[in-house]
């Protein structure tokens, strides 16, 4: 499958990894939108949030544990944001499930 995030998992494409274990990888976003902007992804290919089900949701719970670990490590004590864009209208440009962990600045809502 021609998926850039699967290639990051396999090491075929380099990335600045900040965390890795048996089931997830986290690495710095290539075009950071905040002082801290990390992408946390499952190692197995799941296309988007729309494909989460009772068989694969365990890795999503784990991703949120990892988000808390990374946020602590990065000193995001004032707060942070976790976002997953799902589908074209939400602006999902990479079709491998990923969660943006962003912090180090103030965010607007619902965008920005
Ligand atoms: P989204 O638009 O929500 O699908 O997010 C995809 C994110 O992946 C964007 O923020 C991109 O900057 C980021 N991205 C794309 N290719 C790479 C890469 N090779 N390494 C790190 N981040 C990437």
């Amino acid at each position: 499958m021609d998926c850039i995030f699967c290639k990051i998992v396999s090491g075929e494409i380099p990335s600045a990894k900040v965390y890795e274990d048996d089931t997830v990888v986290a690495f710095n976003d290539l075009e950071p939108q905040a002082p801290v902007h990390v992408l946390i992804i499952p190692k197995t290919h799941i296309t988007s949030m729309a494909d989460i089900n009772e068989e694969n949701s365990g890795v999503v719970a784990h991703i949120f544990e990892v988000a808390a670990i990374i946020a602590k490590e990065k000193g995001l004590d004032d707060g942070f944001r976790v976002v997953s864009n799902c589908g074209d209208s939400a602006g999902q440009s990479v079709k491998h499930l990923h969660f943006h962990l962003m912090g180090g600045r103030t965010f607007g809502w619902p965008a920005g």
Side-chain angles (χ1 to χ4, degrees), residues 33-34 81 83 102 105-112:
Q33 304 299 315
R81 182 170 283 181
V83 175
M102 303 165 79
R105 68 170 170 88
T106 302
F107 297 96
W109 182 258

Side-chain angles (χ1 to χ4, degrees), residues 4-5 27-31 39 85 91-94 98 100:
I4 54 169
F5 285 0
F27 50 94
N28 289 325
D29 196 291
L30 215 51
E31 294 179 42
L39 300 175
N85 297 317
Q92 182 182 6
S93 61
V94 178
H98 53 281
H100 298 256

Side-chain angles (χ1 to χ4, degrees), residues 63-111:
I63 282 171
F64 279 84
E65 291 173 36
V66 170
I69 291 167
I70 296 171
K72 275 193 196 77
E73 275 175 10
K74 298 279 184 187
L76 301 179
D77 303 324
D78 283 349
F80 57 90
R81 182 170 283 181
V82 176
V83 175
S84 186
N85 297 317
C86 176
D88 292 333
S89 66
Q92 182 182 6
S93 61
V94 178
K95 301 298 193 282
H96 180 130
L97 179 66
H98 53 281
F99 292 83
H100 298 256
L101 166 62
M102 303 165 79
R105 68 170 170 88
T106 302
F107 297 96
W109 182 258

